[in-house]
Amino acid sequence: MTRTPENPATEERVIEGVSPVAPGDVPLTAEEYELLRSTVRRIAQDKAAPLAAEIDRTGEFPWSTIQSLGKEGLLSLMLPEDCGGMNGDLVGLCIATEELAKVCASTALTGLAHAVGLMPMMIASNEEQQKRFYSRVTDDNCLTSFALTEPGAGSDAAALTTKAELRGDHYVLNGRKCFITNGSVAALHSVFVRTAPGAGHKAISCLVVEDGTEGVIVGKKEDKLGIRGSDTTELVFENAKVPRENLLGREGEGWRLAMSTLNLSRPAIGAMAVGIAQGALDVAIGYAKDRVQFGRPIADFQGVQFMLAEMATQIEAARSLVYRTAGLLNENKIEAAGKSLATEGRLSAMAKCFASDVAMMVTTDAVQVLGGYGYLKDFPVERMMRDAKITQIFEGTNQIQRLVIARSLLH
Ligand SMILES: Cc1cc2nc3c(=O)[nH]c(=O)nc-3n(C[C@H](O)[C@H](O)[C@H](O)COP(=O)(O)OP(=O)(O)OC[C@H]3O[C@@H](n4cnc5c(N)ncnc54)[C@H](O)[C@@H]3O)c2cc1C
């Protein structure tokens, strides 16, 4: 997909003291959103859908689909146009994610986690870093990851202990990240580390760790309930030497970068949830029209109709919240995350939390509509139900989202 923007020059972003960069945050036009949707839908139908059940069964990574996304420039969706990207925005990311998630949540998550890995760079990289890092994505279709979680630091991410000591021109990293989406397939990892002694978020920084770095070991590949075609691994650092110039922003700005990124990415997780739910509803509707019991299609029974109506209504409510939030974040520009009512995290948390709860409810009900057949792997709804579950857990569990929402209400 190629884009022909008529947008004005992008504005500066301001993460305390971090030099401004050209962002990909000027909203696309309505026509461009539709072009994006139709491009992604074609890849979803032609490439992702036929592989969805198989990669769920085998846990194989969907390289061929990712290559198709790369060929259309979609791995550079969020990057600035003058760096070879598509100048995309959060609404665009939500559209692409939703379309893929309708048929294959593993593929949707791979693209989404890649966008999340890029976000710290988009917020805080300098020109030299952009040249080095963005070109790996635009020219080589490399994937990225976002590496925050550790075995002892999940919901309490600020408790992370991976250490980065500055020795001359390099940081030397020691520690372990876990649950990293794209951990073994990404070429660039945005890794959150502790650069100063002591606890607390003020000592956290973000380094870009490149593939081939000595001392970076891909650890255990996780065997998961759902999103089984997505890559989830440990990342272990044993005296890994990372060039000093790979620091994003300044030392101590990592926590703010991580939280800004999560504020931006949570609506896209919501879009993934909406996509999964819509995919399950579509299957349930088709099945209800075909399946005959008591001499009539089960779609004739009011009990089934009311379930379908409720599922559709919940999905629309979730979709509205997700896209409203993404739109507001676009308007406020990427750097404003944390600064206004819309972007201080409340709406992002609501979008992620509500949409993921809807996805769990809708996919469970879709299995119910299919009865015993819904419970079999012959139909996709049981996979969708398993895939939906993760949206309530990652990028902050829904308990943590409710904490964020409650804190903002009571502040
Ligand atoms: C498939 C998968 C992919 C992932 N991808 C990534 C990734 O790419 N990058 C990355 O950095 N991380 C990733 N994660 C990690 C994910 O974000 C964490 O698993 C999540 O934040 C929860 O942390 P935890 O698993 O340590 O659970 P814990 O923090 O141990 O939580 C356990 C339970 O306690 C609850 N809880 C904890 N604290 C509170 C509290 N204060 N109040 C109320 N309830 C609380 C939680 O809600 C949860 O129900 C991924 C995880 C999975 C499973």
Side-chain angles (χ1 to χ4, degrees), residues 34 43 134 141 148 167 180 204 214 224 280 332 343 369 388:
E34 281 321 300
I43 296 172
Y134 290 180
N141 285 324
L148 178 65
R167 292 191 205 150
I180 305 308
I204 294 173
E214 212 178 309
K224 308 185 294 285
N332 283 296
T343 56
V369 170

Side-chain angles (χ1 to χ4, degrees), residues 4 19 84 136 252 265 348 355 363:
T4 51
S19 56
R136 304 256 354 238
S265 61
S348 285
T363 54

